[in-house]
Amino acid sequence: MAFHDPTADALQAPARPDKGRSLWTDARRRFFRNRAATVALVALVLIAVFAFLGGFIAQYERDYVDFSLIGINATKGVPSIATGHYFGTDQEGRDLFARTVQGTRLSLLIGVVGSMVAVIVGTLYGAISGYFGGRVDSVMMRVVDILLSIPFMFVLILMLVMFGRSLLMLFIGIGLISWLSMARIARGQTLSIKNKEFVEAAIATGVRPLTIILRHVVPNLLGVVIVYATLLIPEMIIYESFISFLGLGVQEPNTSLGALISRGAGQIGNGVPWQLGFPLFFFVVMLFAFFFVGDGLRDAIDPKDR
């Protein structure tokens, strides 16, 4: 009676090659092994849910005024679930929960949209400068150096004064001035990418320079761009908060975290700490969360840089 040897079949069967893991798969696994970055990502998701869905559970509109809680009665507007003022009221008798929801949403939007504008403009500018090199690179980088020497806040304040204080101008002003550092980073990465074999092959086949930049250079900058964008968002939020703190940001009835912090700081001595505490809490948590996520992405995408 003949016995079947499974070991012999295994030796004769062709070996299956292990399925390779992509760079992004490895990066995702390294990112989620970073506990601080994972916790920060969860915090950002919760803040985004609060900012965009919190209005559905608010009992009052952001501009509704409770005249019984104005002036000397402002200390009566304490946080309370029973009254529907979950975060209390401000000195004008307006619901602080609804205003914190809107302020968080506006600060997030300004940070995300402003960084997107800065990243898109800076990446394209830096990629073009680094790819062409020579005199073109020299002229384009001198323009960046000149613009970097101009005080950023002075230009932004001047734009808001000249063209009006609006959300659109705040988006444009913060985004278009913050692309300079991104341009330098993209240019440095492009100088090394343009000498790769796939770029030389594209040049040899007659592909136009602009097509090479868009199809071959820019996609290979995505790792650096994503990390920089994540670290740029809190910087945009700080800029907006500082401008709003000075009274040049969003205007009533709209608000932002910077405006809420400014108004709350002025009332801290009047026995109403919640007017500063709640906006400041979301502001600080959001900034630290973005910084931890950015650090986690940097370590995940380029672990040799740790």
Side-chain angles (χ1 to χ4, degrees), residues 1 36 68 86 103-104 128 181 183 190 194 245 271 294 296 306:
M1 182 176 180
S68 64
Y86 308 132
T104 306
I128 292 172
S181 298
T190 304
K194 73 175 185 178
F245 193 88
R306 284 183 291 182

Side-chain angles (χ1 to χ4, degrees), residues 36 55 96 113 141 209:
L96 191 59
V113 175
M141 284 299 104

